[in-house]
Amino acid sequence: MSARMTNKTDKIPFYVMTPIYYVNARPHLGHTYTTVAADTLARYKRMRGFDVRFLTGTDEHGQKIERSANKAGKTAQAFADEISAEFRFLWARMGLTNDDYIRTTEPRHKRGVQRLFTELQQRGYIYKGTYTGQYCVSDELYVDAPEGAPCPDCGRPTERVSEENYYFKLSEFGDKLLAYYEAHPDFIRPESRRNEVMAFVRGGLKDLSISRTSFNWGIPVPGDEKHVIYVWMDALANYITALGYGSDAPEDQARFQKYWPADVQLLGKEISRFHCVYWPAFLMAAGLPLPKSFVVHGWLLFEQSKMSKSRGNIVRAETILDVLGADALRYFLLREIVFGQDGSFSFDALVQRYNADLANGYGNLVSRTLTMIGKYFDGVVPESTGEVETVTPEARTAIVKVGGLFDSLDFSRALETIWVFIAAVDIYITASAPWKQGAGVPDKVQQQHRGQVLYTAAESIRIITALVYPVIPDAAAKVWAQLGLGDITQADLKDLEWGGLKPGTKLGTLGPIFPRAEKEAITRMQEKEEAGLAESTAAATQVPSAPVAAAPVVAAAPAVAETKTITIDDFAKVELRVAQIKVAERVAGADRLLRLEVDLGYEQRQIVAGIAEAYAPESLIGRKVVIVANLAPRKLRGLESNGMVVAASLGEKGKPVLAGFLEDIEIGARLK
Ligand code: MSP
């Protein structure tokens, strides 16, 4: 039994994480890419029976965030709260399965970072000195370049800093790191990234400044509070502080013991130096084990360059979720881009993949097979007279191959393999033509033939569905239920074998899985994206207030006598629910509007509400309100509002007063 195997569950722990994202900008598809890859790996490992811990979160300290907050006229904390919530809500909306979400402004993190700093100090790896040189605020990187030189990494101007700093003796770790890389060829993957990192270390490591004094948005150095700890040391520590490092509580220590060292740390190639050089050196210095592997992926490009806020070429996941759904986005990102290499995003390619692989490929195979089982076998899985040599061996190969490919994070080839299998099943069905009545063939023989074809197709779909589940979980869950197999989240998908589908299984209710997308879907996404960008531009320039469309507030009902009565069924059509406000902010140029993000427990959504004149946004955070949850979405000031906040309307001006409860009430609860 491995040392990290727990007796309680007998499951092997598996710890995977993404980088934590800067809160200087709202999430875009680049962030979604890494997080979806991590989620897919986490789901796959859970499916294989591992005790998975999947971590993501936000990186909230440092000069870059402080400056962005100042620019937005907010405190750094308020600014970080807002953007961090956006990331968290997006991941929840996409149904991502992270087990924890760390914010570097949380006390548990601060405690752990200070413990790490003290540990390194006590072990003699930290000393005080003066740094005079260049600093790149955008990369939060000390740059070895002459005054006035641009950052060699990102090309932006660097700033001159001269500060008394604490230094970490990084120079002592060059040889140790190189020996470690040599001894662990899979420590950094792919190999091209490993080579780059090794070349960097071979070039010589200088001691690293690990504190700043010229600003204070960070974690203070213990015992010398005018210094804040360098943001990269602060941020990298999240991978252990989230497990409980730095805490003396037994449950935190147990969690840390169980999951550390991490199994897979995912990251984009631009931050490999921090992860594969500084982070292992900090861990070595602290006497802690190193992660088992870093998997470095390439960039998602849009309009030829890396998608990033500063380049202004971003696409938001929300745009795609609204039009094609989360599965389409997940599938595209993992199928289209070879993990490790750069790859391009375009709306055209997205819709093309969606139609070719999901609507016409998997979706169509499911719908034609299950419809025929409905038609010829009354919706009950038929008996098969035996295995089919053009399909069953393909299924067995796919099971073995796809598992290995997921394990090595080769998502595109895993999906390619599954789709080769889908094509083989399609060809088999077409060639066997179960819908044709052969001339002179007795009905019984004909039915047997149909039974064999449709059993083979349905069993193939079961296997395909289990294999694609980590990538397209919503669609897979639907198909599983349509196959009559119930709730996929409760299924044991560990050991897939041909023949698991039992003849006699009654199919569930059939329905479309991936309806074909029309060309117009592309325009809709492009328009949404442009509207979103126009909105942020408007916010930045503070357009003067203009008349606003009627606010989405339910006014108090006029006297009952004047109102036509409704039946209880009419009332039941209105879905009133308790929701908690997580984010509230003013809408630029609209004096009465607030943009809210509310949590319903089962989902998060955005509502634009006309309550700004009565409520300060900050007073609303955490407040529970009543919303009309099933109102058709509408756009206000370019923002989509999904629902209405219920309020009484007072006086001539209709001052809104939010409905609420005296008792503490569970979010998501329905009012009826
Ligand atoms: N806060 C640091 C990381 C600290 S981890 C201890 C940071 N944050 S970031 O917001 O800039 O996010 C960087 C990560 O987001 C990348 O490493 C990558 O995982 C993901 N991506 C952001 N833009 C991306 C692309 N255009 N393409 C692919 N991944 C991208 O660096």
Side-chain angles (χ1 to χ4, degrees):
M1 194 165 96
S2 118
R4 291 174 63 221
M5 199 184 269
T6 68
N7 288 330
K8 213 164 51 191
T9 59
D10 255 5
K11 284 183 169 183
I12 301 172
F14 185 86
Y15 184 29
V16 54
M17 66 280 273
T18 69
I20 47 170
Y21 304 111
Y22 283 132
V23 290
N24 66 319
R26 295 175 54 200
H28 59 69
L29 272 191
H31 308 114
T32 308
Y33 179 53
T34 319
T35 323
V36 159
D39 183 67
T40 301
L41 185 64
R43 285 173 184 271
Y44 168 71
K45 286 291 184 182
R46 279 189 207 107
M47 168 176 156
R48 304 291 309 164
F50 286 77
D51 174 355
V52 171
R53 194 156 184 93
F54 162 24
L55 173 72
T56 189
T58 40
D59 185 355
E60 308 186 4
H61 288 134
Q63 209 165 3
K64 167 156 135 165
I65 310 297
E66 189 177 64
R67 285 188 185 171
S68 301
N70 283 343
K71 225 166 136 186
K74 296 181 180 166
T75 65
Q77 186 65 59
F79 187 72
D81 286 349
E82 236 169 68
I83 308 267
S84 180
E86 292 222 24
F87 275 95
R88 191 174 199 154
F89 274 50
L90 175 61
W91 305 149
R93 177 171 176 204
M94 291 184 69
L96 303 192
T97 58
N98 51 299
D99 300 281
D100 194 0
Y101 183 90
I102 180 113
R103 300 184 55 191
T104 55
T105 48
E106 286 177 75
R108 62 170 172 161
H109 177 72
K110 177 177 171 193
R111 176 186 64 197
V113 171
Q114 290 186 328
R115 176 74 68 92
L116 181 65
F117 193 97
T118 308
E119 186 73 40
L120 300 187
Q121 217 166 17
Q122 285 170 354
R123 288 169 173 256
Y125 291 109
I126 291 179
Y127 65 92
K128 240 182 190 178
T130 304
Y131 176 81
T132 302
Q134 301 306 110
Y135 191 79
C136 171
V137 176
S138 177
D139 289 349
E140 298 281 15
L141 177 69
Y142 294 93
V143 171
D144 194 6
E147 195 165 355
C151 171
D153 270 24
C154 69
R156 293 190 190 89
T158 54
E159 295 179 17
R160 188 81 179 160
V161 291
S162 183
E163 284 176 7
E164 185 201 54
N165 286 156
Y166 284 93
Y167 276 85
F168 171 69
K169 293 182 182 169
L170 183 64
S171 58
E172 287 193 11
F173 289 88
D175 291 344
K176 288 181 201 148
L177 286 168
L178 285 170
Y180 195 89
Y181 303 144
E182 292 291 356
H184 300 86
D186 284 338
F187 184 53
I188 304 166
R189 288 181 285 167
E191 208 181 333
S192 52
R193 299 291 159 216
R194 175 174 184 258
N195 294 340
E196 272 173 22
V197 168
M198 288 178 75
F200 175 77
V201 176
R202 277 198 201 100
L205 295 179
K206 287 190 179 162
D207 289 350
L208 180 70
S209 167
I210 49 162
S211 75
R212 304 286 312 269
T213 48
S214 55
F215 67 99
N216 56 17
W217 181 235
I219 298 178
V221 166
D224 194 356
E225 312 247 317
K226 73 173 192 297
H227 289 258
V228 294
I229 296 173
Y230 175 40
V231 63
W232 268 102
M233 178 181 235
D234 168 343
L236 288 161
N238 90 86
Y239 303 128
I240 54 176
T241 61
L243 291 178
Y245 173 84
S247 159
D248 296 322
E251 63 275 17
D252 289 331
Q253 294 191 346
R255 196 182 314 104
F256 181 65
Q257 286 305 325
K258 180 171 170 189
Y259 292 105
W260 192 258
D263 291 270
V264 174
Q265 291 212 215
L266 288 175
L267 54 132
K269 63 183 178 184
E270 77 289 355
I271 53 177
S272 55
R273 184 191 315 172
F274 302 97
H275 280 80
C276 308
V277 180
Y278 299 172
W279 178 224
F282 294 153
L283 289 167
M284 282 176 172
L288 293 169
L290 308 194
K292 290 184 199 151
S293 68
F294 292 103
V295 179
V296 185
H297 64 71
W299 285 340
L300 188 64
L301 313 175
F302 186 54
E303 291 160 351
Q304 264 84 58
S305 57
K306 181 190 178 210
M307 189 181 286
S308 78
K309 184 206 164 203
S310 52
R311 286 184 181 83
N313 62 341
I314 54 171
V315 175
R316 300 189 195 288
E318 291 87 335
T319 300
I320 297 158
L321 302 184
D322 288 348
V323 177
L324 295 177
D327 279 357
L329 174 57
R330 294 172 69 102
Y331 179 81
F332 177 83
L333 292 174
L334 298 180
R335 173 67 185 86
E336 187 81 5
I337 303 157
V338 176
F339 206 67
Q341 296 177 13
D342 292 352
S344 291
F345 174 84
S346 80
F347 289 110
D348 280 5
L350 170 69
V351 169
Q352 205 182 332
R353 272 260 172 237
Y354 173 88
N355 278 335
D357 296 4
L358 297 177
N360 298 345
Y362 178 53
N364 184 49
L365 172 66
V366 172
S367 109
R368 75 199 287 218
T369 304
L370 302 191
T371 309
M372 281 193 281
I373 295 180
K375 182 166 170 194
Y376 298 117
F377 294 95
D378 232 359
V380 174
V381 175
E383 294 277 350
S384 162
T385 46
E387 295 187 359
V388 173
E389 65 185 32
T390 52
V391 176
T392 318
E394 288 271 3
R396 295 203 169 104
T397 312
I399 292 169
V400 174
K401 221 172 133 189
V402 169
L405 291 167
F406 274 133
D407 271 320
S408 52
L409 284 85
D410 198 343
F411 302 111
S412 55
R413 273 176 60 215
L415 292 170
E416 197 179 281
T417 308
I418 301 171
W419 259 257
V420 167
F421 180 36
I422 291 178
V425 183
D426 255 332
I427 290 170
Y428 164 69
I429 298 176
T430 308
S432 324
W435 51 86
K436 266 200 200 146
Q437 180 75 42
V441 178
D443 278 356
K444 192 163 165 237
V445 175
Q446 183 68 43
Q447 266 304 82
Q448 261 179 4
H449 169 68
R450 280 191 185 129
Q452 185 183 37
V453 178
L454 295 177
Y455 178 84
T456 304
E459 171 59 352
S460 301
I461 290 172
R462 186 187 70 90
I463 288 173
I464 290 160
T465 302
L467 293 175
V468 292
Y469 175 52
V471 179
I472 47 172
D474 294 346
K478 280 192 205 160
V479 174
W480 203 255
Q482 293 190 15
L483 277 171
L485 298 173
D487 180 358
I488 197 167
T489 63
Q490 302 303 312
D492 181 0
L493 306 176
K494 209 164 42 245
D495 302 304
L496 287 174
E497 268 180 55
W498 183 265
L501 182 63
K502 298 283 163 272
T505 305
K506 176 95 187 94
L507 298 186
T509 312
L510 306 190
I513 307 292
F514 289 114
R516 235 193 108 73
E518 300 307 326
K519 258 218 130 35
E520 169 261 350
I522 300 175
T523 339
R524 267 172 65 209
M525 287 189 281
Q526 281 164 338
E527 280 171 4
K528 268 179 187 284
E529 206 44 56
E530 274 155 26
L533 291 178
E535 195 63 45
S536 8
T537 320
T541 51
Q542 291 292 324
V543 285
S545 71
V548 184
V553 172
V554 177
V560 176
E562 294 168 27
T563 323
K564 227 175 109 206
T565 56
I566 58 167
T567 67
I568 189 75
D569 289 341
D570 289 331
F571 176 68
K573 286 183 198 154
V574 184
E575 198 190 325
L576 293 168
R577 287 193 186 270
V578 177
Q580 187 171 38
I581 299 179
K582 297 287 185 182
V583 175
E585 59 181 19
R586 295 188 183 280
V587 173
D591 293 343
R592 292 174 56 202
L593 294 186
L594 289 185
R595 187 185 80 82
L596 306 176
E597 283 183 21
V598 301
D599 187 2
L600 278 158
Y602 56 92
E603 71 169 27
Q604 281 76 30
R605 51 168 81 181
Q606 171 172 287
I607 297 183
V608 183
I611 55 174
E613 285 169 335
Y615 292 93
E618 45 302 344
S619 70
L620 291 170
I621 310 291
R623 180 159 176 166
K624 288 179 181 168
V625 291
V626 176
I627 69 158
V628 182
N630 62 341
L631 201 68
R634 57 185 290 199
K635 272 226 164 152
L636 283 158
R637 289 272 153 166
L639 293 171
E640 190 165 281
S641 183
N642 286 295
M644 238 188 206
V645 178
V646 178
S649 179
L650 298 188
E652 263 179 32
K653 287 191 171 161
K655 179 182 175 232
V657 177
L658 291 170
F661 296 90
L662 294 176
E663 289 85 354
D664 189 24
I665 186 149
E666 205 179 298
I667 53 176
R670 182 151 186 195
L671 281 77
K672 46 189 176 180

